[in-house]
Amino acid sequence: MRFIRFQQGTSEVQTGWVFEDRVGLVEGDPFGHFRRLEAHAALSSVRLLPPVQPGKIICIGRNYAEHAREHHAEIPELPLLFMKPPSAVIGPEETILLPPQSQQVEHEGELAVVIGKQGRRISPENALDYIFGYTIGNDVTARDLQRKDGQWTRGKGFDTFCPLGPWIETIFDPSDVMVTCRVNDEMRQMASTRDMLFNVRQLVAFISSVMTLFPGDVILTGTPAGVGPLTDGDEVAVTIDGIGTLRNPVASDPASS
Ligand code: ZN
């Protein structure tokens, strides 16, 4: 099942589900008890919002060996954790804004895990019970600031630096799916999730050994090799087989001119 958050016209934010090219309302709590109404509205008639408003976004650095190598970085022995602020989240088709502080903003197409149940010290064997579903993320990064600061919070944390969507797919096997990222139809990144150093089960277990995971929390599982620059006027599209495509235009932050 595909969950969305959306607006139709000037309506309030609603939760819905998608069937083929139709949208229906979801009443109640998607993480708890809910009811699906019939899918009547055309998907093209609604504005998709980020499919979840995460309490926290936990990201994994260097989870594909090829990506670690392209940055001449060591392959980590344990998952390398960092975080992005929830204020960075935008939805499909929303614009990624290039901040004036950076000369090198890059895309990072990633599989995103959405947590569905509160948990601490979750075992890898039980990890899937705590997952609500999967969506697509773009861990947009100001690479020059990331390098300069050592700490990654500034380079990863600008507003608009965490596109998520277009929906949460609840029926999905994350063990071997293709993640691709195109910029203006030029293929930049292409890898299978089977090349992850730490798989989804291991990541949920490792993160929850540190911090409690809550419904709506998002894990960005790391990016394959091929990260590259974004410039004013680009369109970046991350596709994951079995989920869909997350598209976002790119523009200079108008506040900087
Ligand atoms: Zn990343």
Side-chain angles (χ1 to χ4, degrees):
M1 179 176 165
R2 291 179 167 176
F3 278 93
I4 56 171
R5 288 171 63 254
F6 71 100
Q7 274 179 311
Q8 204 166 18
T10 56
S11 76
E12 66 204 87
V13 176
Q14 294 176 297
T15 304
W17 65 292
V18 174
F19 180 72
E20 294 175 351
D21 59 350
R22 298 276 139 183
V23 170
L25 283 176
V26 168
E27 285 184 345
D29 176 9
F31 300 116
H33 293 286
F34 65 85
R35 193 163 77 95
R36 283 189 279 185
L37 306 186
E38 280 183 52
H40 287 307
L43 180 57
S44 57
S45 72
V46 308
R47 186 165 82 90
L48 294 179
L49 302 172
V52 63
Q53 289 184 295
K56 59 181 172 289
I57 303 155
I58 309 104
C59 309
I60 315 301
R62 301 173 199 154
N63 199 26
Y64 291 79
E66 279 295 314
H67 173 59
R69 275 194 280 272
E70 74 180 344
H71 284 155
H72 309 291
E74 279 175 39
I75 291 170
E77 284 173 28
L78 290 171
L80 175 61
L81 304 187
F82 65 96
M83 296 178 83
K84 286 170 98 79
S87 47
V89 172
I90 57 172
E93 308 292 347
E94 273 192 78
T95 303
I96 297 166
L97 294 176
L98 305 172
Q101 297 95 320
S102 173
Q103 308 307 312
Q104 190 189 1
V105 175
E106 297 189 340
H107 55 81
E108 293 192 358
E110 307 196 6
L111 174 69
V113 177
V114 182
I115 297 298
K117 199 165 95 175
Q118 182 176 331
R120 180 87 208 273
R121 300 193 181 94
I122 301 163
S123 69
E125 294 71 34
N126 294 332
L128 298 188
D129 298 343
Y130 291 82
I131 294 173
F132 177 70
Y134 300 83
T135 188
I136 303 168
N138 191 341
D139 174 18
V140 180
T141 302
R143 195 72 64 200
D144 48 355
L145 305 185
Q146 180 190 23
R147 288 213 182 90
K148 196 170 174 182
D149 291 356
Q151 296 286 331
W152 299 359
T153 305
R154 184 167 68 130
K156 299 277 193 178
F158 285 93
D159 286 4
T160 76
F161 270 24
C162 190
L164 292 176
W167 39 65
I168 301 168
E169 176 59 81
T170 58
I171 302 162
F172 181 79
D173 177 354
S175 56
D176 184 10
V177 288
M178 289 304 291
V179 179
T180 62
C181 180
R182 290 180 177 82
V183 176
N184 310 328
D185 293 327
E186 177 200 340
M187 184 69 79
R188 294 272 186 90
Q189 298 183 273
M190 182 166 54
S192 167
T193 54
R194 70 181 297 176
D195 298 332
M196 286 181 182
L197 296 170
F198 303 99
N199 65 31
V200 167
R201 288 174 183 271
Q202 291 168 316
L203 294 177
V204 168
F206 184 79
I207 295 165
S208 71
S209 74
V210 179
M211 61 187 90
T212 303
L213 291 171
F214 292 97
D217 284 350
V218 167
I219 301 169
L220 291 182
T221 57
T223 201
V227 300
L230 295 173
T231 54
D232 186 45
D234 284 346
E235 186 199 64
V236 54
V238 185
T239 299
I240 298 182
D241 284 347
I243 303 179
T245 297
L246 170 66
R247 280 175 216 286
N248 296 91
V250 179
S252 296
D253 189 338
S256 66
S257 57

